[in-house]
Amino acid sequence: MEYTYKDGKIYQDDTEVYEVKANSSNLGAKSIEITSTSGLQNVYIDKAPGGYKISQGSMEMGTISRNLSMNYNGRNYSLSRPYQDGDSRKMDIKSDDSKIGTLTFGPGSLTGIYDFMNDEVPVVVYMSVMSPYIRTAYGNPNAQGTSAAQRRNMYRMPRIYAILSNVVFLIAIVLILFSSYLGIPADYDFVILILVIVFSFVIRSIGRRKYIEQHKNDDENGMNKNL
């Protein structure tokens, strides 16, 4: 079975099957109401000690903790860390260490896939809980804006790497200016300049890579934070 979350609603084959409403405060989500349009019981996620409780109708069916571990109807569920699959970000849904479904973050939408009807509600709960991260996981749907941001990120780096790159250039300038006092042949000035350019490029490349890795980890940690 495949469901798609978009603009506060969950669809199956372009037919609306659930509507998701989050009641929030300044401290975050207090509750989520998942209203079924297909005749099934509505699902409620309400704040409780240690996390949230999951109810259908007036019956409590399970809990979901702040680290997104879920117990529903006697079964345990969890989400894997986000991983890249082509142009999409994915998270595996597991039940007792067996994969039972997948969440796929696309441009402005979230797709949930599962095989067994018993897993429908847990998958829908995870889709509702993870829906705020659609834009974070995939990026800004505005292609032009995303492209500009990506271009900016290509040239960003932790401050220490920019400082090291500049220090290398300063050392090179000192060596060239005082080469005669240091006993460095004048013919070596060009060699020093080339070496400085190479070292500076290497330092900046490492810095840019560190920046990208750091922000990728920040996105993943944000997706695994509490509701």
Side-chain angles (χ1 to χ4, degrees), residues 128-153:
S128 303
V129 168
M130 298 305 296
S131 61
Y133 297 101
I134 292 175
R135 188 165 295 183
T136 302
Y138 193 86
N140 193 326
N142 186 311
Q144 184 175 358
T146 300
S147 178
Q150 289 173 343
R151 287 195 298 270
R152 287 194 299 271
N153 288 342

Side-chain angles (χ1 to χ4, degrees), residues 128-218:
S128 303
V129 168
M130 298 305 296
S131 61
Y133 297 101
I134 292 175
R135 188 165 295 183
T136 302
Y138 193 86
N140 193 326
N142 186 311
Q144 184 175 358
T146 300
S147 178
Q150 289 173 343
R151 287 195 298 270
R152 287 194 299 271
N153 288 342
M154 287 176 60
Y155 299 100
R156 289 179 176 174
M157 67 189 77
R159 191 173 183 179
I160 184 63
Y161 290 93
I163 293 174
L164 287 175
S165 176
N166 293 332
V167 168
V168 169
F169 267 106
L170 288 175
I171 293 174
I173 292 172
V174 170
L175 290 176
I176 292 173
L177 290 177
F178 296 95
S179 59
S180 59
Y181 296 98
L182 296 173
I184 300 174
D187 294 342
Y188 282 21
D189 289 353
F190 180 74
V191 175
I192 293 173
L193 183 60
I194 295 299
L195 289 175
V196 165
I197 293 174
V198 172
F199 280 129
S200 178
F201 176 80
V202 171
I203 292 171
R204 288 180 175 273
S205 296
I206 295 173
R208 290 166 190 150
R209 187 163 60 248
K210 290 289 186 182
Y211 178 88
I212 293 172
E213 290 175 355
Q214 177 183 345
H215 281 260
K216 180 179 178 181
N217 290 333
D218 288 345

Side-chain angles (χ1 to χ4, degrees), residues 1 3 12 17-18 36 38 40 72 77 100 114-127:
M1 300 288 287
Y3 284 165
Q12 180 186 18
V17 290
Y18 290 100
S36 172
S38 60
L40 298 177
Y72 174 80
Y77 296 85
I100 58 92
Y114 63 97
D115 295 325
F116 304 104
M117 292 303 299
N118 289 341
D119 300 317
E120 176 183 9
V121 172
V123 171
V124 169
V125 168
Y126 274 135
M127 291 179 70

Side-chain angles (χ1 to χ4, degrees), residues 55-105:
S55 304
Q56 285 181 267
S58 59
M59 184 177 297
E60 185 172 337
M61 299 297 295
T63 60
I64 180 168
S65 67
R66 297 185 184 280
N67 65 359
L68 300 179
S69 295
M70 185 191 309
N71 178 278
Y72 174 80
N73 202 22
R75 293 184 64 188
N76 296 317
Y77 296 85
S78 62
L79 288 178
S80 72
R81 292 180 62 85
Y83 61 91
Q84 198 74 24
D85 185 12
D87 294 332
S88 302
R89 298 290 295 279
K90 291 187 175 182
M91 302 177 78
D92 292 335
I93 305 173
K94 297 182 178 181
S95 177
D96 299 323
D97 295 326
S98 296
K99 180 180 175 181
I100 58 92
T102 306
L103 296 182
T104 302
F105 295 83

